[in-house]
């Protein structure tokens, strides 16, 4: 199903970005207070990157036992801070309380209906100990896996930290994923316990989670217990002996649960992400290196002043951004955060800006797709609120187009906030390419340079170094937060990331290098789509479509979309004589994967364009979907298929 790695669709983007000449050096005012205002960290790391990371690990993390080796690197496997022992939850909680900061707010939590909770570090520590003991009482032990399927409630962070405290690995599944997706992820991880909620709030209504969880675990033989957080207040079925209310467990639990030191390479979590085949990959992250990188990057990329900042990352804990930049990085640094449960347009389009005003948010981290949506809603929305507390803005998840960057800076940042465009992946664990706001001159649309301690280079198809122009982004040396593999599938780990370019990690992203060495990320070059910053593989959607009884064959492509970055476009061939409504097929995909994977448009076609060897010509379908003139079609087995598709593509697409 896979084309050759093909960047042909990126030429327009490259040309557009080549025209971007604006530069924004850090202001004197920002530099004055910045943690880093010169290149000393870069210089230090360039001399000895492992020594640099070791210094960060010693400064930013508390260790029970010191490591004996900074990094063991046997391509493609790395171990960091080998021999060291530490506990992540101790680092995120206990040490702040012991240092006298127990009264500092960890979370200003804002529920979508307008309710709120203020949770201090001392309160969070107390709750995590209770819940860690509750997990133990359910038989969870070091080395076990626990699945988490929750809305954006504080208990999500509590559950993750409680697992870390006792050495169980968590696997968080985004609450928007379907029962079927949850089943697949639980079974792959062989999780013992599932933590979910009755329901959560979304756009003013309660969406049921427990019913999806029930449907999921009907197919999960390893699940022994289910913990249910009460949030939605909706009715749920509790299975006696298996299901337990969170609040009952916590009420009965012992308040003291010492943080047990873990080996630096102890598995901290699995997080499933889409690859180029239908089966999601369980990305493995471990303890010491991961915590070091997320603490370092959170501190320096966001220029964190923990005693005065109010930081808000709008991601969901179901994604890596929620793991690294809501839970582990900020809490390790003792930051005060906002955590928000709901959508940006409830009750009205200015909800985010009212939250920033209410809590005096100083550092704000969101996604380009959200920014483009805010642009559509209009500058009058942020203008209704006093956003003068903001000092820095961040962007993550997809390329940010210069126009959105400029709008963000002007209308949210008041023309003065530096913007950090941060490139990284589930696999990298933490931010890899980003400005340091007190030192880097930014350009709208460029993530600028690799951070200190990170090696990144652009290469061409033949693995030759690109010094100027377009190519593929690769990483050239191990980094502490790097994935340690794919759960249960070492071969796939090697093949996906380490086989394309010898000795280099292949990120799957196209990238342009300009004359001054700035990196401009261009999006995925493989069969992974990026829809509103969410990774979805074409193969996953194709197999969901083909699992419908009326569908014979399907080809899915990501087409450029002004708001969501890419949109899912499907071409479907039906089984002889059968018919099905487009909405039914879209609903079927939502049921199989989740609403985020619903195709924006589905075209029925008697045939799919294929090469003579039978491979679907995805590039061509993308050209059709984006209304481009078709390039070379000489390799097509049957050229008439394409004319038919083009004719159909001018019919209005279906949309939500
Ligand atoms: C894309 C999200 C351009 C990229 C943290 C990457 C970006 C994929 C940026 C990882 C950025 C993320 N500029 N593209 N600043 N940040 N991406 O695993 O294609 O959900 O490979 O991790 O998002 O998505 P993931």
């Amino acid at each position: 199903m896979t084309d050759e790695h093909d960047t042909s669709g990126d030429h327009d983007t490259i040309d557009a970005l080549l025209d971007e000449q604006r530069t924004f050096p850090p202001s004197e005012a920002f530099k004055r207070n910045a943690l880093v205002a010169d290149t000393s960290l870069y210089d230090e790391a360039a001399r000895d990157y492992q020594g640099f990371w070791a210094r960060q690990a010693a400064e930013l993390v508390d260790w029970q036992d010191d490591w004996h080796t900074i990094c063991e690197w046997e391509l493609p496997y790395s171990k960091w801070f080998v021999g060291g022992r530490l506990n992540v939850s101790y680092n995120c909680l206990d040490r702040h309380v012991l240092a006298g900061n127990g009264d500092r707010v960890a979370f200003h939590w804002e529920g979508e209906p307008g309710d709120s909770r203020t949770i201090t570090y001392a309160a969070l520590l107390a709750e995590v100990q209770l819940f860690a003991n509750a997990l133990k009482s359910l038989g969870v032990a070091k080395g076990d896996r626990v699945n988490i399927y929750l809305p954006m409630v504080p208990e999500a962070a509590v559950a993750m930290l409680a697992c870390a405290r006792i050495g169980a690995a968590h696997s968080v599944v985004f609450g928007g994923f379907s029962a079927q997706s949850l089943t697949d992820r639980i079974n792959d991880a062989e999780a013992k316990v599932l933590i979910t909620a009755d329901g959560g709030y979304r756009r003013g209504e309660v969406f049921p989670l427990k019913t999806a969880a029930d449907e999921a675990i009907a197919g999960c033989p390893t699940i022994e217990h289910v913990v249910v957080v009460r949030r939605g207040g909706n009715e749920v079925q509790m299975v006696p002996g298996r299901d337990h209310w969170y609040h009952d467990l916590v009420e009965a639990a012992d308040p003291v649960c010492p943080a047990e030191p873990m080996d630096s390479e102890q598995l901290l979590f699995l997080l499933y992400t889409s690859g180029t085949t239908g089966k999601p990959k369980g990305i493995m992250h471990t303890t010491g290196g991961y915590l070091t990188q997320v603490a370092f990057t959170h501190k320096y990329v966001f220029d964190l002043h923990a005693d005065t900042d109010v930081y808000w990352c709008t991601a969901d804990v179901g994604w890596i951004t929620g793991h690294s930049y809501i839970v582990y990085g900020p809490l390790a640094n003792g930051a005060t955060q906002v955590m928000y449960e709901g959508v940006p347009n409830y009750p009205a389009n200015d909800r985010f800006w009212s939250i920033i005003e209410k809590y005096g948010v100083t550092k704000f981290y969101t996604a380009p797709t959200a920014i483009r949506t805010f642009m559509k809603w209009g500058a009058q929305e942020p203008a209704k609120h006093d956003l003068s507390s903001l000092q820095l803005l961040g962007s993550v998840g997809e390329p940010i187009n210069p126009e959105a960057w400029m709008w963000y800076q002007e209308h949210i940042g008041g023309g003065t906030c530096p913007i950090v465009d941060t490139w990284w992946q589930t696999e990298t664990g933490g931010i890899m390419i980003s400005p340091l706001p007190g030192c880097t001159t930014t350009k709208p649309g460029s993530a600028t340079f690799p951070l200190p301690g990170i090696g990144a280079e652009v290469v061409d198809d033949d693995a030759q170094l690109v010094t100027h122009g377009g190519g593929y982004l690769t990483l050239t040396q191990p980094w502490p937060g790097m994935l340690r593999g794919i759960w249960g599938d070492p071969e796939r780990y090697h093949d996906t990331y380490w086989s394309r370019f010898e000795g280099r990690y292949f990120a799957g992203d196209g990238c342009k290098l300009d004359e001054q060495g700035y990196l401009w990320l261009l999006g995925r070059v493989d069969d992974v789509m990026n829809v509103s910053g969410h990774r979805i593989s074409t193969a996953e959607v194709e197999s969901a479509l083909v699992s419908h009884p009326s569908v014979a064959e399907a080809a899915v492509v990501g087409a450029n979309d002004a708001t969501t970055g890419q949109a899912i476009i499907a071409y479907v061939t039906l089984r002889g004589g059968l018919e099905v409504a487009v909405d039914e097929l879209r609903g079927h995909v939502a049921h199989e994967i989740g609403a985020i994977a619903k195709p924006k448009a589905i075209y029925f076609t008697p045939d799919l364009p294929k090469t003579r060897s039978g491979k679907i010509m995805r590039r061509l379908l993308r050209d059709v979907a984006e209304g481009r003139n078709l390039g070379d079609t000489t390799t097509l087995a049957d050229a008439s298929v394409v004319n038919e598709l083009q004719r159909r593509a001018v019919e209005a697409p279906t949309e939500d």
Side-chain angles (χ1 to χ4, degrees):
M1 281 199 288
T2 318
D3 262 357
E4 72 288 359
H5 293 288
D6 136 46
T7 48
S8 53
D10 297 327
H11 289 312
D12 296 350
T13 329
I14 293 180
D15 291 344
L17 290 176
L18 277 174
D19 290 340
E20 183 52 61
Q21 301 293 350
R22 291 169 284 203
T23 56
F24 294 87
S27 70
E28 285 310 316
F30 191 90
K31 277 171 102 157
R32 218 169 300 127
N33 270 321
L35 297 176
V36 178
D38 59 29
T39 60
S40 52
L41 286 181
Y42 295 95
D43 302 340
E44 179 194 347
R47 283 191 299 273
D48 171 12
Y49 79 94
Q50 293 193 5
F52 166 81
W53 283 118
R55 185 171 74 81
Q56 299 307 327
E59 255 177 39
L60 301 174
V61 174
D62 277 16
W63 299 79
Q64 177 85 18
D65 297 314
D66 289 340
W67 61 86
H68 53 72
T69 306
I70 301 173
C71 176
E72 273 176 19
W73 175 226
E74 278 175 46
L75 190 140
Y77 292 101
S78 78
K79 290 182 182 167
W80 283 82
F81 311 119
V82 187
R85 295 201 312 153
L86 72 161
N87 184 289
V88 166
S89 109
Y90 176 89
N91 273 278
C92 290
L93 303 168
D94 306 55
R95 63 168 172 162
H96 304 314
V97 175
L98 290 170
N101 293 321
D103 291 338
R104 184 183 293 171
V105 174
F107 288 111
H108 293 288
W109 180 78
E110 171 96 354
E112 196 191 67
D115 52 336
S116 61
R117 286 162 69 182
T118 306
I119 302 165
T120 62
Y121 274 92
L124 193 59
L125 172 59
E127 183 89 357
V128 166
Q129 295 195 70
L130 287 167
F131 192 57
N133 280 328
L135 286 176
K136 281 187 185 168
S137 75
L138 297 178
V140 177
K142 187 169 163 178
D144 288 341
R145 271 85 54 213
V146 170
N147 253 87
I148 298 177
Y149 186 56
L150 282 171
M152 281 296 285
V153 289
E155 286 80 2
V158 171
M160 292 161 77
L161 291 162
C163 288
R165 199 163 185 90
I166 63 175
H170 55 70
S171 167
V172 184
V173 176
F174 173 55
F177 274 123
S178 68
Q180 185 58 50
S181 298
L182 181 59
T183 303
D184 296 343
R185 286 159 176 76
I186 290 174
N187 286 340
D188 192 76
E190 299 181 292
K192 234 181 179 173
V193 167
L194 171 66
I195 303 164
T196 186
D198 49 0
Y201 284 89
R202 198 179 156 76
R203 209 159 278 129
E205 280 171 26
V206 172
F207 64 93
L209 264 183
K210 176 66 163 63
T211 40
D214 286 337
E215 189 186 330
I217 49 184
C220 299
T222 58
I223 291 290
E224 293 167 14
H225 293 283
V226 179
V227 181
V228 187
V229 175
R230 179 132 67 199
R231 169 57 188 157
N234 49 317
E235 207 171 305
V236 296
Q237 300 274 324
M238 299 291 279
V239 177
R242 186 196 74 179
D243 298 356
H244 315 267
W245 285 107
Y246 173 93
H247 54 263
D248 289 341
L249 290 177
V250 161
E251 200 182 286
D254 191 325
V256 180
C257 177
E260 203 190 314
M262 302 293 159
D263 188 276
S264 180
E265 284 298 330
Q266 169 85 19
L267 185 66
L268 181 62
F269 65 85
L270 299 177
L271 185 60
Y272 284 82
T273 188
S274 294
T276 53
T277 70
K279 191 173 180 283
K281 308 174 275 199
I283 302 299
M284 297 163 66
H285 283 290
T286 59
T287 299
Y290 172 80
L291 192 67
T292 299
Q293 190 171 342
V294 296
F296 169 77
T297 50
H298 181 259
K299 178 170 177 179
Y300 290 103
V301 170
F302 297 100
D303 192 52
L304 184 76
H305 295 74
D307 46 350
T308 52
D309 268 329
V310 179
Y311 161 89
W312 181 21
C313 167
T314 67
D316 189 283
V317 285
W319 309 112
I320 190 68
T321 307
H323 284 58
S324 301
Y325 297 106
I326 294 178
V327 179
Y328 294 116
L331 294 178
N333 290 334
T336 293
Q337 313 187 55
V338 169
M339 185 191 219
Y340 171 56
E341 177 184 36
V343 297
N345 55 348
Y346 185 85
N349 289 354
D350 64 341
R351 183 64 184 274
F352 274 19
W353 322 126
S354 87
I355 291 174
I356 289 178
E357 184 173 25
K358 176 173 174 185
Y359 295 105
V361 171
T362 56
K363 310 279 163 77
F364 179 64
Y365 193 28
T366 195
T369 188
I371 298 165
R372 291 191 294 264
T373 303
F374 301 142
M375 289 170 74
K376 265 202 315 213
W377 292 344
Q380 78 284 354
E381 298 298 336
K384 289 176 190 163
H385 297 276
D386 178 4
L387 304 183
S388 61
S389 58
L390 286 171
Q391 296 168 11
L392 175 145
L393 305 174
S395 171
V396 61
E398 35 174 337
I400 179 164
N401 44 311
E403 201 192 341
W405 197 102
M406 292 302 301
W407 190 91
Y408 196 29
Q409 201 213 34
E410 183 180 344
H411 295 287
I412 309 304
T416 58
C417 293
I419 294 182
V420 289
D421 173 8
T422 62
W423 179 90
W424 58 295
Q425 310 177 297
T426 305
E427 292 87 340
T428 68
I431 298 171
M432 304 291 282
I433 301 174
S434 166
L436 287 182
C439 133
T440 311
T441 294
T442 56
K443 299 184 182 186
S446 169
T448 72
F449 308 105
L451 287 175
I454 300 300
E457 284 174 352
V458 179
V459 297
D460 66 15
D461 268 312
D462 305 318
Q464 297 303 306
L465 203 62
V466 169
T467 50
H468 176 211
Y472 306 101
L473 180 68
T474 65
L475 302 171
T476 57
Q477 65 200 28
W479 62 100
M482 71 186 277
L483 75 166
R484 299 305 196 257
I486 295 175
W487 182 252
D489 203 345
E491 216 165 299
R492 191 173 177 195
Y493 171 58
H494 174 267
D495 293 351
T496 308
Y497 306 106
W498 300 96
S499 66
R500 178 81 170 88
F501 301 110
E502 210 195 323
R504 296 170 180 271
Y505 171 93
F506 172 50
D509 279 350
C511 187
K512 192 206 92 179
L513 198 62
D514 74 13
E515 289 93 344
Q516 292 153 325
Y518 281 72
L519 296 163
W520 302 74
L521 277 307
L522 302 174
R524 305 286 312 188
V525 294
D526 53 14
D527 291 331
V528 177
M529 300 174 285
N530 191 330
V531 182
S532 299
H534 302 320
R535 276 168 70 170
I536 301 165
S537 85
T538 54
E540 237 173 324
V541 182
E542 282 165 3
S543 73
L545 284 165
V546 174
S547 75
H548 189 281
S550 312
V551 175
E553 205 174 20
V556 167
V557 295
N560 287 330
D561 183 277
T563 307
T564 58
Q566 284 190 308
I568 303 176
I569 309 295
Y571 298 88
V572 168
T573 307
L574 294 176
R575 286 172 194 260
L578 294 179
E579 278 189 24
V580 62
V582 165
D583 275 345
E584 181 180 329
L585 277 188
R586 297 176 73 236
H588 180 71
V589 174
H591 181 264
E592 293 296 300
I593 306 174
I596 52 169
K598 267 203 278 194
K600 179 176 175 186
I602 297 180
Y603 300 108
F604 294 113
T605 163
D607 269 308
L608 292 170
K610 291 184 185 160
T611 61
R612 289 185 192 96
S613 62
K615 278 208 305 186
I616 293 173
M617 293 196 61
R618 214 172 282 284
R619 174 181 55 77
L620 211 126
L621 289 174
R622 224 165 33 225
D623 287 344
V624 173
E626 293 174 357
R628 252 193 312 280
N629 278 336
L630 299 183
D632 185 11
T633 57
T634 49
T635 52
L636 265 183
D638 175 5
S640 70
V641 174
V642 177
N643 302 336
E644 179 62 19
L645 280 176
Q646 278 183 310
R647 194 182 63 72
R648 285 165 199 245
V650 290
E651 292 159 18
T654 333
E655 224 181 313
D656 257 340

